[in-house]
Amino acid sequence: QLQLQESHPGLVKPSETLSLTCTVSSASISSVDYYWGWIRQPPGKGLEWIGSFYYSGKTYNNPSLKSRGTISGDTSKNQFSLKLTSVTPADTAVYYCARHPTYSNEFDYWGQGTLVTVSS
Amino acid sequence: QSALTQPASVSGSPGQSITISCTGTSSDISGYNYVSWYQQHPGKAPKLLIYEVTNRPSGVSNRFSGSKSGKTASLTISGLQAEDEADYYCSSYKTSNTWVFGGGTKVTVL
């Protein structure tokens, strides 16, 4: 059964860089059929797509993050990652990684999510 | 990037049917048949209910159904049950390889 597992950075200080990794089991991030994405959810609020990685190295980002987010993949480890720079308390959220097929675009498998708190 | 518009809350009695709307633009909902719906219980990850506007993944109850007309997609829950009390989110593919979610709808079973 496909599983996605986010890393747990926990607490990040304002102005620093938030780094997250998603480890994928029972599927390959090198598959031509899938994107691998990051979604976040601030406490008590809705879901926001952050960005996605494709096996070719192409990445897609939410314009609202103003280029603060960088997504990359490591096919040798079957992992993909998110780096979010210059964080503020507004970046406090549960961060999810998820898979979405290129041919149908839904987010079909999700990680359990990890809470990242931005605070000094 | 603007979120899709959903009502903040919808309620119904057990056994009733309710419908949640999701309004977008020509760049997302009306431009593509890539609308999906998710159910989220407190403290849990979202669960896929509907994809490509009307399709249900294996294992999802046929009490959940999706549709679309113009810039508005809808999720209908028939035979409402206590376990359906949760938050529901729509999502759509958007022009230029981006994706957008709705603001979420809290469903209350009275």
Side-chain angles (χ1 to χ4, degrees):
Chain A
Q1 175 74 338
L2 171 60
Q3 290 188 325
L4 298 94
Q5 179 67 58
E6 302 89 352
S7 57
H8 305 281
L11 185 66
V12 181
K13 290 182 168 51
S15 80
E16 294 188 345
T17 297
L18 180 162
S19 296
L20 284 167
T21 296
C22 182
T23 301
V24 179
S25 304
S26 301
S28 173
I29 69 166
S30 298
S31 170
V32 301
D33 290 330
Y34 300 101
Y35 300 110
W36 303 89
W38 289 99
I39 298 108
R40 69 180 180 179
Q41 184 172 35
K45 295 188 177 181
L47 300 168
E48 179 185 33
W49 173 74
I50 300 171
S52 297
F53 167 83
Y54 189 54
Y55 86 103
S56 63
K58 182 72 173 173
T59 58
Y60 308 93
N61 298 285
N62 188 330
S64 67
L65 290 177
K66 296 180 169 56
S67 302
R68 291 194 298 125
T70 300
I71 295 174
S72 60
D74 185 337
T75 54
S76 67
K77 296 181 179 178
N78 215 35
Q79 295 175 332
F80 61 104
S81 300
L82 168 69
K83 291 189 187 299
L84 190 63
T85 61
S86 304
V87 297
T88 71
D91 294 309
T92 294
V94 175
Y95 285 76
Y96 295 99
C97 57
R99 185 185 82 166
H100 51 131
T102 60
Y103 46 84
S104 53
N105 290 291
E106 76 279 10
F107 297 90
D108 58 356
Y109 283 90
W110 296 66
Q112 63 186 22
T114 186
L115 176 61
V116 179
T117 301
V118 179
S119 174
S120 55
Chain B
Q1 188 179 33
S2 298
L4 305 172
T5 301
Q6 297 182 233
S9 63
V10 173
S11 62
S13 299
Q16 286 186 331
S17 293
I18 61 170
T19 297
I20 302 168
S21 62
C22 171
T23 302
T25 70
S26 57
S27 296
D28 38 64
I29 290 181
S30 65
Y32 308 91
N33 286 322
Y34 293 135
V35 177
S36 50
W37 289 90
Y38 305 84
Q39 177 191 60
Q40 186 181 36
H41 286 108
K44 300 293 188 182
K47 172 190 173 185
L48 177 66
L49 293 177
I50 298 287
Y51 66 99
E52 290 182 298
V53 181
T54 61
N55 296 329
R56 274 188 312 276
S58 174
V60 171
S61 171
N62 60 9
R63 297 186 300 104
F64 296 94
S65 62
S67 63
K68 187 183 83 164
S69 178
K71 297 177 183 177
T72 299
S74 299
L75 173 72
T76 297
I77 309 175
S78 305
L80 197 62
Q81 300 179 359
E83 67 207 50
D84 299 331
E85 189 159 291
D87 294 325
Y88 291 80
Y89 294 90
C90 60
S91 178
S92 177
Y93 174 81
K94 192 177 175 74
T95 307
S96 301
N97 285 97
T98 59
W99 287 263
V100 63
F101 284 93
T105 298
K106 181 176 180 61
V107 168
T108 301
V109 181
L110 301 171

